[in-house]
């Protein structure tokens, strides 16, 4: 009997060690893969404020580095201008509100060492409401879900039974392209962004992925190029910045714009003119003209290099199709042109 008891105690100890080891591995795996960009896709925090017309449409974006430092940002659907930087208002297309440290332990996501910025995402009147709803406004969350090196989903509850905040791990450039595909069109983000997101990438809150449908990836490449050209054409920051005690004005931050190696920042008037001409062509095709017709409009005033837009044929065809096919446009943007 004594030998049986010793055997059982030894067995229980081994089981305990195995469970402890498995728990440690699971916890380490979650923390190890926490680094990356996490996009809010729930309807709990900010969509109700859009629907009520209280704030501009914006999505919460949590950016975590490999050392457990985070930035809490609001991804906007507008392009910041130098004049807004000068008066201390919107100076980024993904305005940072808070930064600090984040960790996963014991089934909980915790924030600490918070430092708030003086920036606002939608003006002083609504800043308090926005900051009260961002994830780091609460120090501890119950976490469900899992993350891998490339994908993941986090369901975060303030307490048992509470509606979850849901964040999906995204590739930064994929998110930039998806956003560009929407901002390339003149439509209301509050009314159409989430529907568009579903049409482009399925249901990220269920799949845990932001993976655009192959049929629209070509269009997104063209939209991303158009967004990059628009950001490069923006007037440079000049003058004094009132929010920085009259020091040199900051340049707007274009975090949500994909870098294109074929399009460096313009250094000369000739390079700026090239961007202007490419922008005209892209806009004319977006409005329904063919590439040939749009190019003919500017050919007399352009050099051959000016009209050599760095897009593959599939992307060109997709950009033109969205501009010409009202049914395709409506299916993609949940909106009639």
């Amino acid at each position: 009997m004594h030998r049986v008891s010793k055997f059982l105690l030894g067995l229980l100890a081994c089981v305990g060690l195995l469970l402890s080891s498995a728990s440690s591995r699971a916890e380490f795996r979650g923390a190890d893969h926490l680094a990356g960009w996490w996009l809010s896709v729930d309807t709990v925090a900010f969509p109700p404020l859009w629907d009520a017309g209280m704030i501009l449409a914006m999505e919460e974006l949590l950016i975590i580095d490999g050392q457990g430092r985070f930035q809490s940002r609001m991804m906007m659907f507008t392009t910041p201008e130098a004049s807004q930087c000068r008066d201390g208002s919107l100076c980024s297309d993904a305005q940072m509100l808070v930064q600090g440290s984040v960790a996963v332990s014991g089934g909980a996501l915790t924030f600490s060492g918070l430092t708030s910025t003086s920036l606002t995402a939608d003006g002083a009147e609504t800043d308090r409401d926005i900051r009260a709803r961002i994830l780091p406004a609460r120090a501890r969350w119950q976490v469900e879900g899992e993350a891998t090196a490339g994908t993941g989903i986090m369901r975060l509850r303030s307490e048992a039974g509470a509606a979850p905040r849901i964040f999906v791990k995204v590739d930064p450039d994929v998110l930039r392209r998806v956003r560009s595909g929407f901002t390339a069109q003149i439509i209301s983000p509050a009314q159409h962004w989430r529907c568009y997101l579903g049409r482009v990438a399925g249901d990220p809150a269920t799949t845990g992925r932001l993976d655009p449908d192959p049929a629209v990836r070509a269009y997104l490449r063209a939209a991303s190029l158009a967004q990059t050209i628009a950001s490069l054409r923006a007037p440079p920051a000049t003058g004094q910045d009132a929010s920085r005690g009259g020091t040199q004005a900051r340049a707007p931050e274009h975090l949500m714009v994909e870098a294109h190696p074929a399009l460096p920042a313009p250094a000369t008037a000739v390079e700026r003119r090239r961007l202007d001409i490419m922008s005209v062509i892209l806009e004319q095709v977006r409005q329904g003209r063919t590439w040939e017709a749009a190019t003919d409009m500017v050919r007399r005033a352009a050099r051959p290099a000016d009209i050599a837009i760095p897009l593959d044929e599939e992307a060109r065809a997709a950009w033109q199709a969205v501009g010409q096919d009202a049914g395709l446009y409506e299916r993609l943007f949940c909106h009639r042109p």
Side-chain angles (χ1 to χ4, degrees), residues 29-30 33-34 38 145-154 169:
R29 184 168 65 247
H33 293 138
L34 199 61
W38 295 84
E146 61 182 31
T148 68
T151 63
I153 186 167
M154 288 193 295
K169 196 172 189 179

Side-chain angles (χ1 to χ4, degrees), residues 225 228-229 232 260-265 274-275 278 310:
L225 184 77
T228 300
I229 290 172
L232 292 173
H260 287 268
L263 292 176
R274 182 194 176 206
L275 292 175
M278 287 194 292

Side-chain angles (χ1 to χ4, degrees), residues 56-58 74-78 90 92-95 121-122 179:
L56 294 172
M58 59 186 76
M74 300 306 299
M75 184 183 79
M76 315 299 292
F77 297 96
T78 56
L90 187 65
S92 173
D93 51 14
Q95 195 86 307
D122 189 26
R179 175 186 175 275

Side-chain angles (χ1 to χ4, degrees), residues 203-247:
D203 183 7
T206 301
T207 64
R209 301 175 66 89
L210 186 68
D211 188 13
D213 188 290
V216 299
R217 289 177 190 168
Y219 164 75
L220 297 180
R221 292 198 299 276
S224 175
L225 184 77
Q227 182 72 72
T228 300
I229 290 172
S231 70
L232 292 173
R233 293 179 63 234
T238 58
Q240 305 299 307
D241 186 345
S243 68
R244 304 174 69 192
T247 59

Side-chain angles (χ1 to χ4, degrees), residues 173-192:
D173 277 340
V174 171
L175 178 58
R176 289 177 176 121
R177 291 176 191 173
V178 170
R179 175 186 175 275
S180 294
F182 185 85
T183 57
Q185 309 299 327
I186 306 173
I187 49 180
S188 165
Q191 295 177 17
H192 303 294

Side-chain angles (χ1 to χ4, degrees), residues 8-206:
L8 289 174
L9 287 172
L11 181 62
L12 288 172
C14 289
V15 170
L17 285 171
L18 288 171
L19 290 174
S20 174
S21 175
S23 174
S24 297
R25 285 197 300 271
E27 182 177 310
F28 174 80
R29 184 168 65 247
D32 186 45
H33 293 138
L34 199 61
W37 285 31
W38 295 84
L39 178 70
S40 171
V41 292
D42 60 75
T43 58
V44 175
F46 294 101
L49 299 185
W50 311 347
D51 293 341
M54 295 176 62
I55 65 170
L56 294 172
M58 59 186 76
E59 294 282 23
E60 187 171 0
L61 182 62
L62 196 66
I63 300 178
I64 305 173
D65 69 16
Q67 287 71 52
R69 297 288 300 173
F70 79 89
Q71 296 177 350
S72 176
R73 291 175 173 264
M74 300 306 299
M75 184 183 79
M76 315 299 292
F77 297 96
T78 56
T79 300
E81 298 178 358
S83 61
Q84 294 173 303
C85 289
R86 285 196 298 272
D87 63 24
S89 57
L90 187 65
C91 197
S92 173
D93 51 14
Q95 195 86 307
M96 184 169 69
L97 299 182
V98 177
Q99 57 185 330
S101 298
V102 62
V104 176
S105 179
L109 186 78
T110 57
F111 294 98
S112 61
L114 305 187
T115 301
S116 296
T117 70
S118 60
L119 304 172
T120 62
D122 189 26
E125 299 81 3
T126 56
D127 185 61
R128 181 178 298 179
D129 290 333
I130 292 170
R131 289 177 181 273
R133 290 174 179 248
I134 60 176
L135 207 61
R138 185 179 182 89
R140 187 177 188 276
W141 293 84
Q142 299 173 10
V143 60
E144 307 165 6
E146 61 182 31
T148 68
T151 63
I153 186 167
M154 288 193 295
R155 295 180 181 87
L156 303 159
R157 300 182 192 272
S158 57
E159 57 187 8
R165 297 294 317 277
I166 304 175
F167 284 74
V168 172
K169 196 172 189 179
V170 298
D171 177 276
D173 277 340
V174 171
L175 178 58
R176 289 177 176 121
R177 291 176 191 173
V178 170
R179 175 186 175 275
S180 294
F182 185 85
T183 57
Q185 309 299 327
I186 306 173
I187 49 180
S188 165
Q191 295 177 17
H192 303 294
W193 159 252
R194 283 295 183 91
C195 183
Y196 159 83
L197 186 63
R199 298 284 175 87
V200 168
D203 183 7
T206 301

Side-chain angles (χ1 to χ4, degrees), residues 213-335:
D213 188 290
V216 299
R217 289 177 190 168
Y219 164 75
L220 297 180
R221 292 198 299 276
S224 175
L225 184 77
Q227 182 72 72
T228 300
I229 290 172
S231 70
L232 292 173
R233 293 179 63 234
T238 58
Q240 305 299 307
D241 186 345
S243 68
R244 304 174 69 192
T247 59
Q248 180 64 35
R250 294 171 295 180
E253 180 189 40
H254 298 286
L255 185 69
M256 301 310 304
V257 175
E258 185 178 12
H260 287 268
L263 292 176
T268 67
V270 171
E271 291 173 346
R272 286 190 289 272
R273 180 169 177 76
R274 182 194 176 206
L275 292 175
D276 292 342
I277 290 171
M278 287 194 292
S279 178
V280 170
I281 294 172
L282 284 162
E283 176 60 17
Q284 291 301 314
V285 176
R286 187 192 73 81
Q287 293 183 18
R289 286 183 170 84
T290 65
W291 285 98
E292 293 76 11
T295 302
D296 285 342
M297 290 180 62
V298 299
R299 193 180 300 277
R300 290 183 180 179
R303 303 171 306 152
D306 296 335
I307 58 178
I309 297 178
L311 277 178
D312 60 86
E313 289 303 317
E314 188 181 15
R316 287 170 175 264
W319 185 254
Q320 181 174 306
V322 171
Q324 293 181 337
D325 187 336
L328 174 60
Y329 182 98
E330 184 174 357
R331 289 192 299 274
L332 189 58
F333 298 105
C334 315
H335 173 72

